[in-house]
């Protein structure tokens, strides 16, 4: 479908295998859907006018993923702060999965980054926001 970016099956496989954190079943489902869906022609864009400014250049998949990761990190730290600075790991995983589509291996990576940067602590199933985590929220 259009959300996969169109192109040949080989192009799609290259893009999907370059994405981190996707489970094999997700990749297989996306490839299966791409095989069934006919190739879509790119939508024609109207020329910029005085009323409609030119659009920003399209971002690469890597740039989109990097921006999403930054938003996910900031959003999860903000959410943890809104919970009073503490939440269970299960609640954090649930929020991360439902709001940012970050779960399983990607969630583990997120938590490893947070603890490695000392933005959070983890003890007895509870994640706590540190002073460094609160400062990171303000940046």
């Amino acid at each position: 479908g259009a959300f996969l970016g169109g192109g040949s099956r080989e192009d799609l496989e290259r893009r999907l295998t370059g994405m981190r954190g996707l489970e094999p079943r997700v990749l297989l489902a996306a490839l299966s859907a791409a095989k069934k869906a006919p190739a879509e022609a790119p939508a024609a864009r109207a020329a910029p006018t005085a009323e409609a400014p030119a659009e920003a250049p399209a971002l690469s998949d890597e740039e989109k993923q990097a921006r999403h990761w930054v938003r996910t990190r900031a959003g999860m730290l903000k959410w943890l702060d809104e919970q009073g600075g503490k939440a269970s790991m299960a609640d954090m995983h649930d929020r991360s999965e439902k709001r940012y589509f970050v779960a399983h291996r990607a969630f583990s990576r997120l938590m490893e980054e947070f603890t490695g940067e000392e933005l959070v602590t983890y003890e007895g199933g509870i994640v706590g926001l540190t002073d460094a985590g609160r400062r990171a929220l303000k940046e």
Side-chain angles (χ1 to χ4, degrees):
F3 75 96
L4 296 171
S8 70
R9 185 174 194 276
E10 291 77 24
D11 290 339
L12 177 63
E13 285 182 41
R14 251 192 317 277
R15 282 196 306 273
L16 289 175
T17 55
M19 293 179 181
R20 293 184 180 171
L22 290 179
E23 299 292 326
R25 63 183 170 74
V26 174
L27 293 173
L28 291 173
L31 288 172
S32 176
K35 281 192 271 185
K36 293 176 186 171
E40 298 176 15
R45 291 187 179 169
T49 64
E51 299 84 31
E55 292 182 25
L59 298 175
S60 71
D61 289 342
E62 291 80 17
E63 290 168 321
K64 289 177 186 176
Q65 290 173 9
R67 285 184 176 194
H68 177 72
W69 192 251
V70 168
R71 283 191 305 268
T72 299
R73 285 175 50 97
M76 289 304 297
L77 288 174
K78 181 180 177 190
W79 177 84
L80 187 57
D81 187 49
E82 290 169 352
Q83 305 311 302
K86 291 190 185 282
S88 72
M89 179 74 80
D91 287 346
M92 279 196 72
H93 184 275
D94 188 55
R95 172 67 177 188
S96 167
E97 183 176 28
K98 288 180 179 171
R99 176 67 176 94
Y100 299 101
F101 305 104
V102 170
H104 311 301
R105 275 188 271 162
F107 179 75
S108 294
R109 177 182 156 214
L110 179 72
M111 293 307 299
E112 287 169 6
E113 286 182 12
F114 282 171
T115 56
E117 295 169 30
E118 299 181 349
L119 302 176
V120 302
T121 58
Y122 177 70
E123 188 175 324
I126 301 297
V127 179
L129 190 62
T130 64
D131 290 338
R134 285 185 180 87
R135 283 192 301 274
L137 277 170
K138 295 177 184 175
E139 295 173 358

